[in-house]
Amino acid sequence: MIALDHIAIWSDNLYRTTIELSRMTGIGSADGGYFPGLGLGQKIISLGGGVYLEIESIVDHTMIAERKPLALELERQTAAGDCFAGLCLRSDDLDEIARFAAHRGVEVATGIAGGKEVMVPRQKRGKAAHAPDFLGSWLLGKPNIYYVADLDTHSSTLPAQPGTGDVRGLGVTSLELGGDEASLREWLGDIDPAELGIDIQFNGLADGLYAVGFDSTAGPQVIRLAPITL
């Protein structure tokens, strides 16, 4: 079954961005750890319903000093400020992901950054099968799909750190995307975006994510950022 999993936000300072988003929404944040192979650190803000914001920035200075491709791309994308980097779906059916990969003409990736794991406080989160590779989707302004068998160790379940916010997200209700419905359907193949159970609005601009609406214990809210630059 297909579902919305998480929304990636790129920042030049994940602490600043996370604090600003928590102050704006009232929702607390958790430490999401880092990707050793990418030099990315992350903070997590749960929007409820198994969906979370993944705020990312480069935290390993050697990636910047050595001008690694992802560090250069993130630097380029955030030159004008924070942006929505990726719209990430999930499925609990590996066959569904394999069919999507075949539709896109790619192989199912079986790890992150060449098999590197996500290192988080007190535990490791497993490698995630996904298609296409995240940059192969995000830089086109299109979603990719991750395999998530259950939500027991899902990042959306990480408890908010004390003092970061008391509001709880109650689930995503809407997305504003660039492009049009026909383009999204062509990208997804036999996956019906209506299965997400979310109101998807198209603004006809460049592909990418422009806004996410969600319910919360403080009432309905919307987060709007610039989309990734294609």
Side-chain angles (χ1 to χ4, degrees):
M1 183 180 73
I2 201 73
L4 179 60
D5 190 74
H6 66 281
I7 294 163
I9 294 173
W10 276 355
S11 166
D12 62 359
N13 184 330
L14 80 166
Y15 287 93
R16 171 189 54 76
T17 300
T18 303
I19 290 170
E20 289 177 352
L21 286 170
S22 286
R23 284 176 175 170
M24 181 177 74
T25 64
I27 301 174
S29 66
D31 186 354
Y34 72 103
F35 296 92
L38 299 176
L40 285 176
Q42 59 178 236
K43 292 284 188 176
I44 303 296
I45 293 178
S46 178
L47 299 182
V51 181
Y52 62 95
L53 299 177
E54 181 179 79
I55 302 101
E56 298 179 332
S57 72
I58 299 293
V59 295
D60 183 348
H61 70 279
T62 61
M63 297 290 177
I64 300 172
E66 296 172 4
R67 310 310 284 163
K68 297 294 188 180
L70 181 61
L72 290 174
E73 185 62 36
L74 196 149
E75 183 178 62
R76 182 179 78 87
Q77 293 288 348
T78 59
D82 300 339
C83 69
F84 283 128
L87 181 64
C88 307
L89 310 181
R90 68 169 178 261
S91 174
D92 58 3
D93 183 348
L94 279 171
D95 288 338
E96 183 172 45
I97 295 177
R99 290 193 300 272
F100 176 60
H103 170 67
R104 296 303 332 151
V106 300
E107 297 291 329
V108 175
T110 56
I112 298 172
K116 300 296 184 182
E117 294 176 325
V118 187
M119 306 294 292
V120 300
R122 299 181 301 280
Q123 61 180 307
K124 290 182 179 179
R125 293 202 185 279
K127 303 170 186 175
H130 59 283
D133 183 71
F134 71 100
L135 281 183
S137 304
W138 296 5
L139 294 181
L140 297 175
K142 297 296 189 183
N144 62 337
I145 303 178
Y146 290 86
Y147 175 64
V148 179
D150 60 66
L151 298 180
D152 288 345
T153 59
H154 195 248
S155 292
S156 66
T157 66
L158 289 171
Q161 294 176 316
T164 60
D166 299 321
V167 173
R168 288 186 300 106
L170 300 177
V172 171
T173 55
S174 66
L175 298 171
E176 181 184 332
L177 303 181
D180 56 29
E181 183 176 356
S183 175
L184 179 62
R185 287 185 176 275
E186 188 284 324
W187 176 265
L188 292 175
D190 63 2
I191 295 173
D192 185 354
E195 293 180 33
L196 298 176
I198 295 170
D199 178 29
I200 302 177
Q201 304 160 12
F202 298 91
N203 60 25
L205 301 175
D207 285 334
L209 176 63
Y210 289 73
V212 54
F214 59 97
D215 284 333
S216 75
T217 53
Q221 301 196 53
V222 176
I223 296 172
R224 181 175 294 277
L225 291 174
I228 200 167
T229 301
L230 307 184

